[in-house]
Each structure stands twice: as structure tokens, then as C-alpha cells.
Amino acid sequence: MWLFHRMEHARMHAKHKGHEAMHAEMVLILIVTLVVAQLVLVQWKQRHSKSYNLVTLFQMWVVPLYFTTKLHWWRFLTTWFIFSVITAYISYRATRKPLACTTPRLVYKWFLLLYKISYATGIVGYSVVMFTLFGINLIFRIKPEDAMDFGVSLLFYGLYYGVLGRDFAEMCADFMASTVGYYSASGMPTKHLSDNICAVCGQPILVDVSEEGIIENTYRLSCNHVFHEFCIRGWCIVGKKQMCPYCKEKVDLKRMFSNPWERPHVMYGQLLDWLRYLVAWQPVIIGFVQGINYVLGLE
């Protein structure tokens, strides 16, 4: 086996011998394309954020489907189908007019549940990978390659559905908030907010801020507007809105999540935002680079 790998290495080295200039040109094309693509994406996001988010969401949803279908990863395709059916139903409910009074709570419950499941799955996957690197898997007589495959798979599932779920949640949050009328992305809200109404779901607040609720508490922001605790947490973490849904004053997440056990959820959300670029746009950029190399005759 060792001799075979050595012969393969020698064959590849002989095949690419004398192609140093061509390889340097290919690396230069890759670097320039990555820089230009990043600048274009940043400008697109700043100038036309709505179209950028929709195209990115479509990329996130379709690109992994293409590769996993090609590789016959049936487990992923099964989970993708289940996720797509449920999320399609939830999104349909969120975009109806008039909006049913139970819909906002249903939407935030589903995406918050999905967010927590993806968070837990990612943590378990990362832990399995680290345990494998330290050889702990040998205690349980598990082969390193099996343990690593299991850990990486869980990490991928957690991160992918975490990113995709947050993007769908943001889209649904915009639709619902504009339909309820207490939030407008640009301009003034179409309704006046009463003191006992939650601006996220439009439903009455039954628990006073100073009282301890049986199911959930009532939360008051620094702007003095009050919300159901689950609604404002879903709005900020899952829906990625770091401002008051009514007056648009910036929300202090450190104050909202004073419990140190809850802060990792905020950091996990920021990690998912960063990974969106890698999952949605990196394969497209690499494919574009390969197309340029093919046209220029670089192999």
C-alpha cells in the first residue's frame, strides 16, 4: 500500500512538472475572483438587501441539494424534504392576509425549536470530533473514521439547518410584522401601539413586567415597549432583528440575555451568519473560477 501511494505521488509530480507558471496563474485567478466576488456581494447586500437575501436563501436551499443528490446522501435528502415541507407550510401561514392570531406564535415556536435543535446537534457533532481527535473514541472501541464521520455529519446538519432556518425566520418575521402593522421596514408603523399589546404578534399582554409568568414572562426594552418574552427573543435571535419592532431603537442583547448560559445562543447566531457565505456563495465562486480556467485552457 505504501509503495502504491508513493508511485501515485511520483506520477502526479511528473504530470505537473514544468507547470509552475500555469499553477501560479490559476492561484492568481482564484484570489482575484474571491476579492472581486466579495466586493460585489457586499455592495449588493448594502444597496439591494431584499434581493440579496432572497437569492442567498435560494442558494442555501438548492446548492447542498444538488451535491447531496449527486452523491446519493439519502439521509440528508430525507431530512431536507421533511424540513422543506414543514417550513413551506409555516411560511405559507406567515404570508397570509389577514394574518391569523395564532400564526406568529406558531412561526416563532417552530423556528425557535429548529434553532435549538440545530444548536444542540452542532454542539454534539463538535464534541464528537474533538473527542475523536483526543482518542476518547477508542475507549468505546469505535473506529476513528466512523467517529469522525458521525461528528462531522452532525456538525454539518446543525450548521446547515441553523443557517437555513434563520433565513426563513427572518423572511417570515418581516411579512408578519408588516401585516400586524406595528412594524415597517421603512417609514412609520400603520398602527398605534397600546401599552398592553405585543408589537411582534399583535396579541394582548396578560402578565405584568414585575410578575412571574407561568408559561412565559413579559419583557420591557430600554425604550419602555413591552413584549411577550418568547416573541422578543424569537424576533432578536431567530429573526435577526436587533431593534425594537415598533420604534426601531437598538436592542441591548447583553442586557436581554444576562444569564451566561443563554449568551452562547447569540454567539451561535453570529457564527451562522458568517457560515452563510461559505455555504451559499463559495461553491458558486469556485465553479466560476473553474469555468475561467477551462476557457483559458488551464488544467
Coordinates of all heavy atoms in Angstrom, one line a residue, residues 56-62 64 76 80 83-84 87 111 114 158-170 272 276:
T56 N -29.7 34.6 -1.8 CA -28.9 33.8 -0.9 C -29.7 32.7 -0.3 O -29.2 31.5 -0.1 CB -28.3 34.7 0.2 OG1 -27.6 35.8 -0.3 CG2 -27.4 33.9 1.2
L57 N -30.9 32.9 0.1 CA -31.8 31.9 0.7 C -32.0 30.8 -0.3 O -32.0 29.6 0.0 CB -33.1 32.5 1.1 CG -34.2 31.5 1.7 CD1 -33.6 30.8 2.9 CD2 -35.5 32.3 2.0
F58 N -32.3 31.1 -1.6 CA -32.5 30.1 -2.6 C -31.2 29.3 -2.8 O -31.2 28.1 -3.0 CB -32.8 30.8 -3.9 CG -33.1 29.9 -5.1 CD1 -34.2 29.1 -5.2 CD2 -32.1 29.7 -6.1 CE1 -34.4 28.2 -6.2 CE2 -32.3 28.8 -7.1 CZ -33.5 28.1 -7.2
Q59 N -30.0 30.0 -2.8 CA -28.7 29.3 -2.9 C -28.5 28.3 -1.8 O -28.1 27.2 -2.0 CB -27.6 30.3 -3.0 CG -27.5 31.2 -4.2 CD -26.9 30.4 -5.4 OE1 -27.6 29.9 -6.3 NE2 -25.6 30.2 -5.3
M60 N -28.8 28.8 -0.6 CA -28.7 27.9 0.6 C -29.5 26.7 0.5 O -29.2 25.6 0.9 CB -29.0 28.7 1.9 CG -28.0 29.7 2.3 SD -26.6 28.9 3.1 CE -27.4 28.0 4.3
W61 N -30.7 26.9 -0.1 CA -31.7 25.8 -0.1 C -31.4 24.8 -1.2 O -31.5 23.6 -1.1 CB -33.1 26.4 -0.4 CG -34.2 25.4 -0.2 CD1 -34.4 24.6 0.8 CD2 -35.3 25.3 -1.1 NE1 -35.6 23.9 0.6 CE2 -36.2 24.3 -0.5 CE3 -35.7 25.9 -2.3 CZ2 -37.3 23.9 -1.2 CZ3 -36.8 25.5 -2.9 CH2 -37.7 24.5 -2.4
V62 N -30.8 25.2 -2.4 CA -30.7 24.4 -3.6 C -29.3 23.8 -3.7 O -29.1 22.6 -4.1 CB -31.0 25.2 -4.8 CG1 -30.7 24.4 -6.1 CG2 -32.5 25.5 -4.8
P64 N -26.7 22.7 -1.6 CA -26.5 21.4 -1.0 C -27.3 20.3 -1.5 O -26.9 19.1 -1.6 CB -26.8 21.7 0.5 CG -26.7 23.2 0.6 CD -27.1 23.7 -0.7
F76 N -29.5 12.9 4.3 CA -29.7 14.3 4.2 C -30.9 14.7 3.4 O -31.6 15.6 3.7 CB -28.4 14.9 3.6 CG -28.6 16.4 3.3 CD1 -28.4 17.3 4.3 CD2 -28.9 16.9 2.0 CE1 -28.5 18.7 4.1 CE2 -29.1 18.2 1.8 CZ -28.9 19.1 2.8
W80 N -33.9 17.0 4.6 CA -34.1 18.2 3.8 C -35.6 18.2 3.3 O -36.2 19.3 3.3 CB -33.2 18.2 2.6 CG -33.3 19.4 1.7 CD1 -32.6 20.6 1.8 CD2 -34.2 19.6 0.6 NE1 -33.0 21.4 0.8 CE2 -34.0 20.9 0.0 CE3 -35.2 18.7 0.0 CZ2 -34.7 21.3 -1.1 CZ3 -35.9 19.2 -1.1 CH2 -35.6 20.5 -1.6
F83 N -37.8 19.0 6.4 CA -37.7 20.4 6.7 C -38.4 21.3 5.7 O -39.1 22.3 6.1 CB -36.2 20.8 6.8 CG -35.9 22.2 6.8 CD1 -35.9 23.0 7.9 CD2 -35.6 22.9 5.6 CE1 -35.7 24.3 7.9 CE2 -35.4 24.3 5.6 CZ -35.4 25.0 6.8
S84 N -38.3 21.0 4.5 CA -38.9 21.8 3.4 C -40.4 21.8 3.5 O -41.0 22.9 3.3 CB -38.4 21.3 2.0 OG -37.0 21.5 1.9
T87 N -41.4 23.8 6.8 CA -41.1 25.2 6.6 C -42.0 25.9 5.6 O -42.4 27.0 5.7 CB -39.6 25.4 6.3 OG1 -38.9 24.8 7.4 CG2 -39.3 26.9 6.2
F111 N -39.5 28.0 14.5 CA -38.1 28.4 14.2 C -37.3 28.4 15.4 O -36.0 28.2 15.3 CB -38.1 29.7 13.4 CG -38.6 29.6 12.0 CD1 -39.7 30.2 11.6 CD2 -37.8 28.9 11.1 CE1 -40.2 30.1 10.3 CE2 -38.2 28.8 9.7 CZ -39.4 29.4 9.3
L114 N -36.4 24.8 15.9 CA -35.4 24.4 14.9 C -34.0 24.9 15.3 O -33.0 24.3 15.1 CB -35.9 24.9 13.5 CG -34.9 24.5 12.4 CD1 -34.9 23.0 12.1 CD2 -35.4 25.2 11.1
G158 N -26.3 20.4 11.9 CA -26.6 21.5 12.8 C -26.4 22.9 12.2 O -27.2 23.8 12.2
L159 N -25.2 23.1 11.5 CA -24.9 24.4 11.0 C -25.8 24.7 9.8 O -26.3 25.8 9.6 CB -23.4 24.4 10.5 CG -22.4 24.3 11.7 CD1 -21.0 24.3 11.2 CD2 -22.6 25.5 12.7
Y160 N -26.0 23.7 8.9 CA -26.8 24.0 7.7 C -28.2 24.4 8.0 O -28.8 25.4 7.5 CB -26.8 22.7 6.8 CG -27.7 22.9 5.6 CD1 -27.4 23.7 4.5 CD2 -28.9 22.2 5.5 CE1 -28.2 23.9 3.4 CE2 -29.7 22.3 4.4 CZ -29.4 23.1 3.4 OH -30.2 23.3 2.3
Y161 N -28.9 23.5 8.8 CA -30.3 23.9 9.2 C -30.4 25.1 10.1 O -31.5 25.7 10.1 CB -31.0 22.6 9.8 CG -31.2 21.5 8.8 CD1 -30.6 20.3 8.8 CD2 -32.1 21.8 7.7 CE1 -30.8 19.3 7.9 CE2 -32.3 20.8 6.7 CZ -31.7 19.6 6.8 OH -31.9 18.6 5.9
G162 N -29.4 25.3 10.8 CA -29.4 26.6 11.6 C -29.4 27.8 10.7 O -30.1 28.7 11.0
V163 N -28.5 27.8 9.7 CA -28.4 28.9 8.8 C -29.7 29.1 8.0 O -30.3 30.2 7.9 CB -27.2 28.8 7.8 CG1 -27.2 29.9 6.8 CG2 -25.9 28.8 8.6
L164 N -30.2 28.0 7.4 CA -31.4 28.0 6.6 C -32.6 28.4 7.4 O -33.4 29.2 6.9 CB -31.6 26.6 5.9 CG -32.5 26.6 4.7 CD1 -32.0 27.4 3.6 CD2 -32.6 25.1 4.2
G165 N -32.7 27.9 8.6 CA -33.9 28.2 9.4 C -33.9 29.7 9.8 O -35.0 30.3 9.8
R166 N -32.8 30.2 10.1 CA -32.7 31.7 10.5 C -33.1 32.6 9.3 O -33.7 33.6 9.4 CB -31.3 32.0 11.0 CG -31.1 31.8 12.5 CD -29.7 31.9 12.9 NE -29.2 33.2 12.7 CZ -29.2 34.2 13.5 NH1 -29.9 34.1 14.7 NH2 -28.7 35.4 13.3
D167 N -32.7 32.2 8.1 CA -33.0 33.0 6.9 C -34.5 32.9 6.6 O -35.1 33.9 6.3 CB -32.3 32.4 5.7 CG -30.8 32.9 5.7 OD1 -30.5 33.7 6.6 OD2 -30.1 32.5 4.8
F168 N -35.1 31.7 6.7 CA -36.6 31.6 6.6 C -37.3 32.4 7.7 O -38.3 33.0 7.4 CB -37.0 30.1 6.6 CG -37.0 29.5 5.2 CD1 -36.0 28.6 4.9 CD2 -37.9 29.8 4.3 CE1 -36.0 28.0 3.6 CE2 -37.9 29.2 3.0 CZ -37.0 28.3 2.7
A169 N -36.8 32.3 8.9 CA -37.4 33.0 10.0 C -37.4 34.5 9.8 O -38.3 35.2 10.1 CB -36.7 32.6 11.3
E170 N -36.3 35.0 9.3 CA -36.2 36.5 9.0 C -37.2 36.9 8.0 O -37.9 37.9 8.1 CB -34.8 36.8 8.5 CG -34.6 38.3 8.3 CD -33.2 38.6 7.8 OE1 -32.5 37.7 7.2 OE2 -32.8 39.8 7.9
L272 N -23.6 31.5 12.5 CA -24.4 31.0 11.4 C -24.4 32.1 10.3 O -24.4 31.8 9.1 CB -25.8 30.7 11.9 CG -26.0 29.6 12.8 CD1 -27.4 29.4 13.2 CD2 -25.4 28.3 12.2
R276 N -23.1 31.5 6.3 CA -24.0 31.6 5.2 C -23.2 31.8 3.9 O -23.5 31.3 2.8 CB -24.9 32.7 5.4 CG -25.9 32.9 4.2 CD -26.8 34.1 4.4 NE -27.7 33.9 5.6 CZ -27.4 34.5 6.8 NH1 -26.4 35.3 6.9 NH2 -28.2 34.3 7.8

